Amino acid sequence: MSDVIDVAVIGAGPYGLSLAAHLSAAGVNYRHFGVPMRLWRSAMPQGMYLKSQGFASNLSDPGGTHTLEAFCQATSHPYKSYGLPVSLDNFVNYGQWFSSQLDLKVEEVLVAGLVRQGEVFELTLADGEQFTARRVVVAIGVEHFAYVPSPLAELPASACTHTSAHTDLAAFSGQEVVVIGAGQSALETAALLHESGAGVQVLARRPAIRWNGQPLNPVRPLLQRLREPEAGLGSGWSTWFYSNHPELFRRLPASTRVYRARTALGPAGASWLRPRVEGQFPVRTGQTAISAKTLDGKVQLRIAGGGPDVTADHVIAATGYRINLKRLEFLPEAVRSSLQTVGGSAAVGGDYQSSVPGLYFIGPSVAPSMGPVMRFVFGSEHAATTVGRALAGISGRKSSAAVAAGRLCPATMSKPWRYRGPAREPGFAAPSALITAAGPRPARAAGRRRWSGGWRCRPRTPSLSCWRWL
């Protein structure tokens, strides 16, 4: 068994890659396991677009330099921070570019087992290697949690599949396909099937399909922006809260958090998708399948309320994902039984640490603890910054190169504040002139507050960076 390492990261999607960027910059001794962007490459259909805006689709690195916009500029792809959908191909390539540019050492092997032994964890890899880590971060996304409701779950895979089973919907050309669901996944899957030559119809339990509105004008008058602020997950004050304050969301009562994590930003189609759906194929709302069977190579669905039965060659369940810790085969029962849960997922504290000391969870699996932002790429900034700072502090390692480059606050190892105003007082320096040694604090200018010495940091505000008295 190899030497003990500080941190093991399991999962290489947007959250895992973002955390690795922070750990690498902080000089933490870590190992990272998974296939970069695997869910996005192997469980989403060609031709898909992200629902999030461009500015809300960034992975997180300490310097904030390896954004989707930077990737698009480097590769001559079109980009707009607002109003231009991000294609799946662009996003997958961006994730791989992010990993390559930051020289993240991702080992493309899966973790097969994890056992807690005293103060450390013993991990076993799929290739048989065993090693020990002081702390483990689970960043596995949703790939283990595809949900197919009854009675569809009783059908064979030849008759019914989850949307995550398909990357090329053109394989259904000439077939009759029923898509179950009312959200973006269902509506876009149906549109892609229709455009690939399949006969398609959508069945939705909801009484009507909900569509998101057109993007708001980013240069709206101030009063309009105050009434309906724009945030990473959309517009409105509640959405702004979910987007920007996971640390406050976790203070809500558990029942409220579980309900909001499940219902906030619920099923809806993007505005740009609407013309590709309405009038193109049948969308049957208020319809629930109460039984399903196969007969003569066809699928027959019986509809509640006496509606006409539906017959098709195949059914695709666009029914989302539900966290079920039992599906994480690398977590033994002894570890799972020690985890406090909320809404079926691991309950975590403000540092994303679970009730098992040293075991952290980030990403969609902690939405009932940290809010619906964890279901989106946008949440990777808060998770990676918070966990990266915590683990760097625990390991006692701080990257002098990252600090010297102005990417990390030397006090907190987090992304710091950016001073946007002029240096109006004597002896005051903005980040453009990085300070390496502190001198005496200057006298307070007339009528102005006198800042105390030292770094002024607010780690959870990603758009700001540090300043310090000379």
Side-chain angles (χ1 to χ4, degrees):
M1 189 172 293
S2 58
D3 293 337
V4 179
I5 65 168
D6 287 337
V7 181
V9 180
I10 303 174
Y15 280 77
L17 292 175
S18 295
L19 176 59
H22 285 259
L23 296 178
S24 179
V28 175
N29 176 24
Y30 77 99
R31 292 181 66 179
H32 189 185
F33 306 97
V35 180
M37 306 296 285
R38 183 172 75 164
L39 176 72
W40 300 83
R41 290 192 290 173
S42 63
M44 297 189 185
Q46 298 170 14
M48 190 193 96
Y49 287 85
L50 275 66
K51 194 176 180 183
S52 299
Q53 299 289 346
F55 79 91
S57 302
N58 297 319
L59 278 63
S60 174
D61 68 282
T65 54
H66 290 70
T67 60
L68 177 62
E69 180 178 12
F71 162 75
C72 290
Q73 289 177 347
T75 56
S76 300
H77 284 93
Y79 172 85
K80 286 185 179 180
S81 61
Y82 200 75
L84 179 66
V86 179
S87 73
L88 174 64
D89 285 345
N90 264 9
F91 187 68
V92 169
N93 291 333
Y94 164 53
Q96 295 171 327
W97 174 87
F98 181 93
S99 178
S100 175
Q101 290 290 307
L102 293 172
D103 195 26
L104 303 180
K105 308 297 186 184
V106 184
E107 302 176 48
E108 296 194 11
V109 59
L110 301 182
V111 174
L114 181 154
V115 178
R116 183 167 177 82
Q117 297 288 357
E119 299 297 316
V120 299
F121 295 91
E122 292 182 0
L123 289 88
T124 302
L125 304 182
D127 61 9
E129 180 188 353
Q130 293 184 319
F131 70 97
T132 304
R134 294 183 177 88
R135 283 158 183 80
V136 175
V137 182
V138 179
I140 41 75
V142 296
E143 61 183 296
H144 297 275
F145 306 126
Y147 171 71
V148 178
S150 179
L152 302 180
E154 301 166 8
L155 292 171
S158 59
C160 177
T161 48
H162 189 266
T163 48
S164 62
H166 304 287
T167 58
D168 184 10
L169 294 173
F172 291 101
S173 179
Q175 299 185 43
E176 294 295 323
V177 182
V178 172
V179 178
I180 307 293
Q184 175 75 4
S185 177
L187 298 170
E188 190 169 17
T189 295
L192 290 169
L193 285 166
H194 172 73
E195 292 159 4
S196 297
V200 63
Q201 58 181 308
V202 174
L203 295 186
R205 289 184 306 171
R206 289 174 172 264
I209 297 297
R210 178 171 169 258
W211 295 98
N212 294 131
Q214 292 289 335
L216 300 174
N217 186 344
V219 293
R220 292 172 293 149
L222 176 60
L223 184 58
Q224 292 183 15
R225 283 182 280 146
L226 289 174
R227 287 175 176 169
E228 190 175 7
E230 188 71 21
L233 304 187
S235 60
W237 279 107
S238 60
T239 304
W240 175 88
F241 173 73
Y242 299 141
S243 301
N244 297 320
H245 292 288
E247 75 282 358
L248 297 180
F249 182 91
R250 63 173 292 270
R251 303 289 185 182
L252 298 174
S255 58
T256 301
R257 286 186 278 119
V258 171
Y259 176 76
R260 293 299 179 187
R262 179 172 55 86
T263 61
L265 308 170
S271 59
W272 50 262
L273 180 62
R274 193 168 187 171
R276 296 168 56 191
V277 173
E278 292 186 336
Q280 304 300 314
F281 45 82
V283 178
R284 297 173 55 178
T285 56
Q287 305 278 308
T288 301
I290 57 175
S291 68
K293 63 180 181 179
T294 57
L295 182 65
D296 298 328
K298 300 282 188 179
V299 184
Q300 292 186 343
L301 301 178
R302 184 182 174 194
I303 305 302
D309 291 353
V310 177
T311 301
D313 295 304
H314 196 83
V315 175
I316 295 180
T319 45
Y321 299 84
R322 291 194 180 181
I323 305 303
N324 183 351
L325 295 177
K326 292 183 179 180
R327 293 191 180 184
L328 299 182
E329 296 180 356
F330 61 85
L331 281 183
E333 177 59 30
V335 173
R336 288 200 302 267
S337 62
S338 299
L339 288 170
Q340 294 182 11
T341 61
V342 55
S345 70
V348 297
D351 60 354
Y352 291 82
Q353 186 172 195
S354 71
S355 57
V356 175
L359 182 60
Y360 296 72
F361 289 82
I362 60 175
S365 64
V366 296
S369 290
M370 307 301 286
V373 70
M374 295 295 127
R375 303 188 337 237
F376 298 84
V377 175
F378 190 73
S380 64
E381 171 71 25
H382 186 275
T385 300
T386 303
V387 178
R389 181 177 67 249
L391 295 178
I394 290 170
S395 69
R397 300 173 185 272
K398 298 182 180 181
S399 168
S400 58
V403 172
R407 293 180 297 170
L408 298 176
C409 164
T412 63
M413 294 306 296
S414 66
K415 191 172 181 181
W417 283 0
R418 174 173 298 118
Y419 174 66
R420 297 189 175 184
R424 294 179 178 175
E425 298 190 51
F428 189 86
S432 58
L434 293 173
I435 297 113
T436 57
R441 185 176 65 189
R444 176 172 60 91
R448 296 185 185 279
R449 175 183 175 183
R450 180 172 61 190
W451 295 101
S452 61
W455 293 85
R456 312 282 301 183
C457 301
R458 189 179 180 182
R460 288 174 179 154
T461 306
S463 63
L464 305 172
S465 55
C466 281
W467 65 82
R468 189 180 189 181
W469 281 116
L470 285 169

